[in-house]
Amino acid sequence: PLRPLDMNLQLGTFDSLVIKCGDLQSCLKRFPDTGKILDAIGRNKLNPESPHLERTWRARSAPTVPADEAEGMVHEVLSELPLHADSGLNFVRIFGELTALGETWNMLDLEL
């Protein structure tokens, strides 16, 4: 028979707790910079050799990309790779974590 878990008791037995995003769109909402950066890359805003380079571009001030559009960009990035069912989620988790830190790194400052 099923019974409710006592979360205090259950959590006490683990060294850490990992919470996964349930789907790609919710993950993209958690990491909105992913869509912003993929959009900027697609528009050559971050390419130093492009006439469309925007040296002052920052994810924090870029317009939000709707999750469904960002999901399409993720699929486009991954389209030529062998994929697993969780490839999109894993890409967004890793890329999202890195890009969240990116603006704190001066080596990624396009104005330098």
Side-chain angles (χ1 to χ4, degrees):
L2 295 175
R3 63 180 171 81
L5 296 176
D6 177 353
M7 291 307 288
N8 291 327
L9 178 63
Q10 297 299 320
L11 290 176
T13 62
F14 297 100
D15 293 328
S16 65
L17 176 66
V18 176
I19 299 173
K20 293 185 175 184
C21 296
D23 60 73
L24 186 54
Q25 285 201 9
S26 66
C27 223
L28 285 163
K29 288 176 184 172
R30 180 173 174 217
F31 298 109
D33 288 357
T34 300
K36 294 176 181 185
I37 291 173
L38 291 178
D39 181 62
I41 290 170
R43 297 174 189 269
N44 285 318
K45 292 180 178 183
L46 306 178
N47 181 351
E49 297 176 4
S50 170
H52 304 289
L53 173 67
E54 291 184 18
R55 292 189 184 280
T56 59
W57 189 92
R58 300 288 182 272
R60 69 178 160 262
S61 59
T64 300
V65 175
D68 59 329
E69 289 180 33
E71 183 175 356
M73 290 181 231
V74 169
H75 290 301
E76 187 177 332
V77 167
L78 300 175
S79 66
E80 296 188 21
L81 300 172
L83 298 178
H84 181 273
D86 290 338
S87 294
L89 279 173
N90 291 332
F91 173 82
V92 172
R93 286 184 191 129
I94 294 167
F95 192 75
E97 291 286 354
L98 291 175
T99 57
L101 296 171
E103 290 190 347
T104 65
W105 302 338
N106 69 353
M107 66 187 115
L108 296 178
D109 187 339
L110 298 173
E111 294 185 290
L112 294 179

